[in-house]
Amino acid sequence: MQRAVNSMGIVFFPAFDWAISPTHPERQERLLYTMDQLKEEGIFDLPGIREYKPDVAKMEDIRRVHFCFPDTGSNVTSSHLISAGGAMKAAKLFAEKQEDKSFALVRPPGHHAMKVVHGGRGFCNVNMEAIMVESLRDDYAIKKVAIVDTDCHHGDGTQDIYWHDPDVLYISMHQDGRTMFPGTGFPGEIGGPKARGTTVNIPLPPHTGNEGFLYVLQNVIMPILKDFQPDIIVNSAGQDNHFTDPITNMNFSAQGYAELSRILNPDIVVLEGGYSIQGALPYVNLGIILALTGLDYSYVLEPNYRPEAVQQEDRITDYLKKVSDAVLKQNRSPDTDAISREREGKFFVRSKEIFYDTAYITERQREYLLDCDHCPGLLAIESSSSRTRNCLGLEIPKTGCEKCTELGLQMFEQSQKEGRFKNIQLIDRIHGESLRYRDDA
Amino acid sequence: MILGIDVGGTHTDAVLLSREGMVASAKVATNHEDLLGSIRLALGEILKHDSMEGLKRFNLSTTLCTNAIVQDELDAVGVLVSAGPGIDPAHFRIGTAYSLIRGGLDHRGTELTPLDLEQVKGVVQDCRLQGVKVFSLVGKFSPRNPDHEQQMAAVLEGKCDFMTLGHSLSGQLNFPRRIATAYYNSAVWPMFNRFANSVSQSLEELGVSPPHLNILKADGGTMTMNQARQMPVESIFSGPSASIMGCVAMCRPEQDAILLDMGGTTTDMAVFASGDPLIETESMDLVHRPTLVRAMKTRSIGLGGDSAVSCSDQGLCIGPRRLGPCMACGGQTPTVVDALNLVQGLCFGDVGASTAGIQELAKTFQESAQDCAKMIVQTVCRELKRQALELLSRINERPVYTVHELLEYRKIEPQKIYLIGGPGRMLASFLQETLGLPVVVPDHYQVANALGAALARPTMEAELFADTRKRVLTIPVLGVNESVPSDYSLDQARTDVVGRLCRHLADRLDWNVSPADVEIVEESEMNMVNDVSQVGRDIRVKSQIKPGIVPDYDQAVRCVCKEL
């Protein structure tokens, strides 16, 4: 019998009793065939691989990451708490050195959930990776984190949450935003004014195949990771780049995913999207597990895999070389014009309009980041949505300075008195607190 | 009357029971070279007390197959494996005649590649030229669709002594386990059948002719001898479950509890959930190969009455070695029993020898012999506690797959300890103190294993799988494979699996079970969606007849299980 070279803890939670709606792609059946395949392969019998039960995340775990309006409870279900808890359990297994690697094979996904949450968007309500990363930073001496998002959709939520954070490198490779939800993730998006270069976006043209994914991995992602020197590498492993996925247009395969996992060699993997639940997920998940544990995956071939059908066209290969060069250039010597440096007094500001496609909500945001000389700066977000108006979120960063802390507390009190905001949340990452104010009048 | 015999590693125990209680019991040494001889010897002892006229049932628990597998005394098996994509099936190689056949199914049981029948014919011919007479035919995902296994079987028909078809073993999805189990089943088949013939012949010679002859399984249930002849692998490791069933018969546990069976070299631990012995969720390992053989959840700890006690740099060292009997019985090295002899003032055997041995140890610690003995006993209790807590935490970490189950998760929290086995009784009060739980030592604890063998009733598990899109239904272990209408429901599936199981038992095993005795242990019904429309339902129901005591004898050895 084979024995895993790297031990792996698999937190498997298919939530067989939860769905967004009965025929939604993100539904009960999604991991059923993955479970059947993994069980039939005897994966959990292999020495070095062990299955774990997820933890259940607490409301505090969500509040330390998100500004949820009108409140946290109305934006999460038990299923979200378990999925987030599954990611946290995976992180714990790795951080406490119980396992060499861990894989949170959980649903629902989370990478479209942004800092502010008014409802579901892109099948996501809260961000599993961010909840996990913040628990890692609070409970273990982990400072620098790299999140490599290989879902076919741009992980705009994770990008938004870490936009201003210089200690979290967020890299996403995804189908070009001009052809795919959520329509973002272009090479010019490189992070906020105080965290330039810690956001990296590599848009891939439709029909990119194994060759293209691996080219970008080897030539862009791996060098940037090497420069950043993270304490930990997290892979947001969406499986919707697969050639059989019903809602995307890529040509990636199970062998490609396995190869990508072997080269990237992440410490923790968190499942994101992937909706070809019969033709792709059982094989892709198996491939990832085998590759990361150092086992033979050569025989993991989808039934309808024909190399010639998913062969990458030369024009895509050429185009990807250009995109890769551009991304690397942006990362190493950013084009200063590309960075918004709009200011209001001491604050950098930006405005955003966000559409929640799952919950049918529109939101308007004005974001303020204090240009502080001592820390990443106090963050304030004014937000109004079609569901909840007049909301304010304030965040004192984990490495925040005394001045920013004071100002944050002051703004929290003052805004309550002024009465302009009906829902206010202050996240104090230094003291690990989240304070809320709600004007019910 | 019923007769139970447990052929164990050291002793062969026999009991003869009437509905009122124990009629006779016997204990003889097991001769591993001649298990049949040991059985005959035990039978002879019982016959001295009673002629066994009117014997209704003889249940036998034997280490025959276990020994053969552990000592690798197995017949050559032609293993024919067909697999779709996944882990390379070459990694699952077992035995000396393992062949991969082209062809494969996917996780829905849909054929991806047709079976290469010409290759099957070639492999079968090669095997036969090498003198292989038994075969195992295993397909990946065969519980979803047994077609490839059946095609291979058709080629083999009339060309072998015996064949095991993978899907008939279990409805559980686990290809490597299916391969190993099918292999072992065929590998012990010739030997088991020779043994079964000899047992029947011996009974005849001794003038004992029970209408029902059963073999004990590792899950604490019985199967008929005829069933065992087809599925001998199910008879492995029945010993520990015999003891557990003995405890069930005597004590009728109703709460969560732990059972400790302390022998000479090891202590076996088992767990009860609301009075039912826990079954291993993933089934047992055999010579490091996981199998599909259902077994009770047990843990063997290298700590028993005869465990040698010594000193090392780390302090006291107890077990796992046994260096002969305790000093009270003429041994050379102090053991746990010697320590108990001192602390309990037991006057067991040569107390002076026990004292001298412990005294020698005590010098190293600069303690009195009495204190040293106490320390030894406490160390044993603490180790048992540690192991019990670890086993419980493993059990309580059992994965679940629905939000409901995760939030409503019921942890196993033992309220009692049942203690059986020779040295166990002496340890009771110390264990009670260390574990903080009431300890119960039942009567007849010395022959709990034979009692369990005698009183166990049949068990069976069946899994139904229905796919209303393909309109198919399978119950692999019952050989059911048929079509269903597109509106087939979970309700119907429940009724079907219970009904089919009862009918199978009545027709094949002459055993009438009321549908009320069949439990549904798992069920799920999921919509299958294609694009945005529902195209069918995936329905799964797992049912079982759990281990238990034969109803007409349920008061035979019921004892008052007083706490200490």
Side-chain angles (χ1 to χ4, degrees):
Chain A
M1 203 154 81
Q2 298 193 98
R3 171 176 288 274
V5 179
N6 307 307
S7 76
M8 178 184 259
I10 301 176
V11 183
F12 183 58
F13 190 74
F16 283 146
D17 55 350
W18 188 86
I20 290 176
S21 70
T23 57
H24 196 281
E26 177 31 65
R27 63 178 180 273
Q28 296 96 329
E29 190 194 1
R30 199 176 148 220
L31 289 176
L32 179 66
Y33 312 113
T34 292
M35 176 185 81
D36 285 352
Q37 189 78 34
L38 295 184
K39 297 233 150 159
E40 179 71 351
E41 301 290 354
I43 274 291
F44 301 114
D45 289 334
L46 287 174
I49 299 183
R50 196 173 148 191
E51 185 180 5
Y52 292 87
K53 212 163 58 160
D55 289 340
V56 183
K58 297 187 189 68
M59 286 297 180
E60 296 96 271
D61 299 316
I62 315 286
R63 287 192 193 111
R64 121 176 102 185
V65 172
H66 289 292
F67 299 126
C68 287
F69 298 119
D71 51 48
T72 315
S74 59
N75 280 296
V76 295
T77 64
S78 305
S79 191
H80 296 106
L81 293 176
I82 298 171
S83 189
M88 288 167 68
K89 173 78 180 188
K92 189 173 166 185
L93 292 172
F94 171 76
E96 294 184 354
K97 296 191 166 46
Q98 284 190 58
E99 305 286 353
D100 297 333
K101 299 196 177 293
S102 59
F103 189 178
L105 201 43
V106 295
R107 54 174 285 265
H111 77 150
H112 294 302
M114 296 184 165
K115 188 78 194 168
V116 178
V117 176
H118 286 272
R121 59 186 301 277
F123 319 163
C124 305
N125 285 42
V126 290
N127 195 300
M128 308 312 164
E129 286 85 347
I131 294 165
M132 175 184 95
V133 165
E134 294 318 304
S135 78
L136 272 174
R137 288 162 126 191
D138 276 3
D139 301 339
Y140 308 95
I142 284 167
K143 186 165 179 265
K144 292 179 84 178
V145 180
I147 302 173
V148 180
D149 191 328
T150 50
D151 190 280
C152 190
H153 302 89
H154 176 228
D156 54 350
T158 315
Q159 167 168 311
D160 181 67
I161 292 170
Y162 291 112
W163 185 252
H164 296 299
D165 192 330
D167 290 325
V168 176
L169 171 65
Y170 176 74
I171 307 178
S172 177
M173 58 153 112
H174 47 261
Q175 187 172 330
D176 195 311
R178 291 168 294 187
T179 63
M180 176 69 37
F181 176 89
T184 51
F186 297 102
E189 297 165 36
I190 60 167
K194 311 284 277 189
R196 264 186 285 164
T198 58
T199 296
V200 179
N201 280 294
I202 313 141
L204 311 173
H207 310 300
T208 298
N210 288 358
E211 188 191 340
F213 278 91
L214 298 175
Y215 178 86
V216 168
L217 178 69
Q218 297 275 28
N219 292 282
V220 183
I221 298 178
M222 295 316 286
I224 292 176
L225 278 174
K226 200 171 165 229
D227 291 349
F228 185 72
Q229 293 281 321
D231 298 330
I232 185 170
I233 299 177
V234 177
N235 179 202
S236 291
Q239 307 185 347
D240 39 7
N241 287 303
H242 196 264
F243 63 89
T244 60
D245 198 276
I247 61 174
T248 63
N249 317 91
M250 299 302 237
N251 280 343
F252 208 29
S253 70
Q255 280 293 313
Y257 268 106
E259 193 66 9
L260 178 142
S261 304
R262 185 184 64 79
I263 298 167
L264 180 63
N265 195 23
D267 302 304
I268 304 173
V269 182
V270 180
L271 177 70
E272 280 296 336
Y275 306 96
S276 170
I277 62 177
Q278 290 215 35
L281 262 63
Y283 308 103
V284 173
N285 281 312
L286 178 64
I288 292 176
I289 293 168
L290 294 177
L292 288 178
T293 48
L295 295 172
D296 169 21
Y297 53 82
S298 58
Y299 208 78
V300 184
L301 298 167
E302 307 83 338
N304 45 0
Y305 177 71
R306 282 179 302 121
E308 63 282 5
V310 290
Q311 178 68 38
Q312 186 172 294
E313 291 170 41
D314 291 344
R315 60 176 182 89
I316 292 179
T317 309
D318 295 340
Y319 175 81
L320 277 172
K321 281 183 183 155
K322 282 182 211 153
V323 172
S324 298
D325 290 345
V327 171
L328 270 182
K329 189 164 164 282
Q330 276 290 8
N331 182 257
R332 299 213 157 126
S333 46
D335 178 0
T336 40
D337 297 345
I339 310 159
S340 161
R341 298 187 67 88
E342 192 190 335
R343 296 177 71 112
E344 253 177 46
K346 282 188 284 180
F347 290 91
F348 292 110
V349 292
R350 61 172 181 159
S351 295
K352 276 188 286 185
E353 278 191 23
I354 296 151
F355 177 58
Y356 291 70
D357 63 317
T358 305
Y360 280 77
I361 293 170
T362 46
E363 181 200 356
R364 235 166 231 246
Q365 270 185 26
R366 182 84 167 154
E367 179 196 273
Y368 300 82
L369 179 78
L370 186 69
D371 185 8
C372 176
D373 295 333
H374 309 290
C375 73
L378 175 74
L379 179 74
I381 303 177
E382 299 177 0
S383 160
S384 266
S385 76
S386 50
R387 187 170 137 195
T388 317
R389 300 195 179 280
N390 303 322
C391 307
L392 173 68
L394 296 162
E395 185 178 55
I396 302 162
K398 194 155 176 74
T399 50
C401 66
E402 229 168 88
K403 247 178 70 187
C404 282
T405 309
E406 227 167 85
L407 182 63
L409 292 167
Q410 198 186 325
M411 282 172 74
F412 182 59
E413 275 173 32
Q414 204 177 332
S415 54
Q416 292 174 35
K417 283 182 207 149
E418 279 174 4
R420 209 176 112 213
F421 298 102
K422 302 293 177 202
N423 291 284
I424 310 171
Q425 183 184 349
L426 169 77
I427 301 174
D428 178 351
R429 290 292 286 120
I430 298 175
H431 301 99
E433 285 177 339
S434 174
L435 307 173
R436 288 201 77 104
Y437 166 80
R438 188 165 178 182
D439 180 5
D440 291 320
Chain B
M1 274 195 302
I2 54 180
L3 173 69
I5 293 189
D6 175 42
V7 183
T10 323
H11 294 116
T12 295
D13 292 299
V15 292
L16 182 66
L17 300 172
S18 74
R19 285 179 201 201
E20 283 72 45
M22 186 142 28
V23 177
S25 72
K27 197 184 258 303
V28 301
T30 299
N31 176 0
H32 286 284
E33 305 302 310
D34 181 14
L35 294 184
L36 187 69
S38 308
I39 294 169
R40 289 180 67 120
L41 207 59
L43 276 172
E45 288 294 314
I46 297 285
L47 279 169
K48 284 181 193 163
H49 298 278
D50 194 289
S51 67
M52 288 197 253
E53 225 168 280
L55 182 68
K56 257 176 70 185
R57 181 161 46 224
F58 172 23
N59 288 354
L60 175 64
S61 158
T62 166
T63 52
L64 181 79
C65 292
T66 317
N67 290 350
I69 290 169
V70 172
Q71 288 156 17
D72 203 19
E73 288 163 359
L74 299 169
D75 277 55
V77 182
V79 184
L80 275 67
V81 166
S82 78
I87 293 179
D88 184 347
H91 292 295
F92 307 138
R93 174 173 296 279
I94 190 164
T96 51
Y98 183 87
S99 309
L100 298 175
I101 307 294
R102 278 180 293 278
L105 310 174
D106 76 355
H107 49 81
R108 302 303 291 173
T110 309
E111 185 174 84
L112 301 172
T113 325
L115 195 72
D116 186 341
L117 282 170
E118 287 310 308
Q119 197 197 351
V120 175
K121 286 175 193 161
V123 168
V124 168
Q125 197 170 2
D126 287 351
C127 284
R128 292 184 63 196
L129 285 174
Q130 290 165 36
V132 174
K133 293 194 172 71
V134 290
F135 288 83
S136 293
L137 315 173
V138 188
K140 195 168 188 172
F141 288 111
S142 64
R144 291 284 180 268
N145 177 1
D147 184 47
H148 282 188
E149 286 178 3
Q150 283 163 347
Q151 284 187 43
M152 292 194 262
V155 174
L156 260 171
E157 196 57 55
K159 297 190 175 115
C160 64
D161 290 353
F162 180 71
M163 54 181 148
T164 306
L165 272 66
H167 72 276
S168 66
L169 298 166
S170 164
Q172 193 184 329
L173 288 180
N174 195 316
F175 187 44
R177 283 177 186 256
R178 195 175 310 124
I179 294 171
T181 316
Y183 164 76
Y184 286 125
N185 195 55
S186 294
V188 294
W189 184 87
M191 182 208 51
F192 186 87
N193 277 271
R194 283 194 299 274
F195 173 78
N197 293 340
S198 317
V199 169
S200 302
Q201 200 187 333
S202 294
L203 287 176
E204 224 167 90
E205 285 165 19
L206 292 167
V208 182
S209 51
H212 297 286
L213 178 53
N214 300 316
I215 296 289
L216 201 73
K217 302 188 290 179
D219 70 355
T222 60
M223 55 182 165
T224 63
M225 186 56 112
N226 282 340
Q227 224 180 340
R229 281 171 180 270
Q230 299 297 306
M231 213 60 93
V233 72
E234 296 259 21
S235 74
I236 55 175
F237 292 120
S238 56
S241 57
S243 299
I244 297 169
M245 291 317 292
C247 178
V248 172
M250 292 184 288
C251 307
R252 289 312 170 85
E254 284 171 355
Q255 303 161 297
D256 291 355
I258 289 180
L259 169 67
L260 294 172
D261 178 2
M262 192 176 219
T265 42
T266 58
T267 300
D268 288 333
M269 193 177 281
V271 179
F272 295 98
S274 306
D276 288 326
L278 276 187
I279 304 277
E280 190 74 70
T281 42
E282 296 291 347
S283 310
M284 64 157 60
D285 287 13
L286 251 182
V287 228
H288 310 299
R289 291 290 288 241
T291 70
L292 291 172
V293 178
R294 243 163 73 101
M296 283 189 173
K297 188 149 200 103
T298 55
R299 166 177 284 206
S300 187
I301 303 153
L303 211 55
D306 293 342
S307 292
V309 184
S310 63
C311 275
S312 76
D313 302 341
Q314 279 85 45
L316 216 48
C317 207
I318 307 173
R321 284 176 311 164
R322 177 182 186 270
L323 302 170
C326 57
M327 291 179 79
C329 299
Q332 299 298 312
T333 323
T335 69
V336 173
V337 168
D338 288 312
L340 282 164
N341 215 0
L342 253 74
V343 271
Q344 289 281 55
L346 279 177
C347 313
F348 173 74
D350 183 351
V351 180
S354 287
T355 313
I358 300 289
Q359 197 110 50
E360 192 60 31
L361 267 179
K363 277 185 198 161
T364 337
F365 297 106
Q366 298 182 329
E367 302 246 21
S368 72
Q370 208 29 252
D371 285 349
C372 182
K374 244 184 225 161
M375 204 159 79
I376 294 167
V377 173
Q378 277 166 357
T379 310
V380 170
C381 291
R382 276 201 296 269
E383 176 61 12
L384 291 176
K385 180 181 182 178
R386 191 185 68 81
Q387 295 266 7
L389 291 177
E390 202 182 282
L391 179 63
L392 284 170
S393 92
R394 282 273 173 150
I395 291 168
N396 287 329
E397 275 171 21
R398 180 179 64 91
V400 292
Y401 297 145
T402 61
V403 174
H404 175 79
E405 282 176 289
L406 192 87
L407 299 179
E408 303 295 316
Y409 197 77
R410 191 184 87 81
K411 279 193 168 177
I412 308 273
E413 286 167 343
Q415 308 295 315
K416 251 185 208 173
I417 309 288
Y418 294 101
L419 195 55
I420 57 176
R425 171 159 275 184
M426 300 193 273
L427 205 62
S429 62
F430 298 98
L431 215 50
Q432 177 156 311
E433 201 182 306
T434 312
L435 283 154
L437 289 173
V439 171
V440 174
V441 183
D443 301 335
H444 308 309
Y445 63 90
Q446 311 90 330
V447 287
N449 51 343
L451 283 176
L455 293 169
R457 66 173 190 194
T459 52
M460 181 103 191
E461 188 180 57
E463 280 178 74
L464 176 149
F465 170 77
D467 178 339
T468 66
R469 185 186 194 180
K470 288 180 151 180
R471 304 199 177 179
V472 294
L473 175 154
T474 64
I475 309 176
V477 292
L478 304 183
V480 175
N481 195 26
E482 56 190 40
S483 64
V484 286
S486 61
D487 60 353
Y488 189 74
S489 70
L490 180 60
D491 267 345
Q492 283 169 291
R494 276 192 214 112
T495 315
D496 276 352
V497 73
V498 172
R500 297 297 190 114
L501 187 56
C502 292
R503 204 189 313 160
H504 175 89
L505 293 171
D507 293 353
R508 300 283 199 82
L509 308 177
D510 194 19
W511 177 39
N512 289 310
V513 185
S514 136
D517 287 337
V518 184
E519 273 185 307
I520 303 290
V521 280
E522 276 170 35
E523 60 177 34
S524 72
E525 180 180 32
M526 250 174 267
N527 289 338
M528 298 162 71
V529 177
N530 196 11
D531 290 330
V532 289
S533 45
Q534 187 186 326
V535 291
R537 278 180 314 281
D538 175 294
I539 297 172
R540 302 172 186 202
V541 183
K542 186 170 168 181
S543 64
Q544 70 163 4
I545 296 167
K546 65 182 180 189
I549 299 302
V550 280
D552 13 337
Y553 281 76
D554 60 349
Q555 291 306 317
V557 291
R558 177 84 172 90
C559 61
V560 188
C561 284
K562 276 184 299 201
E563 293 169 13
L564 285 188

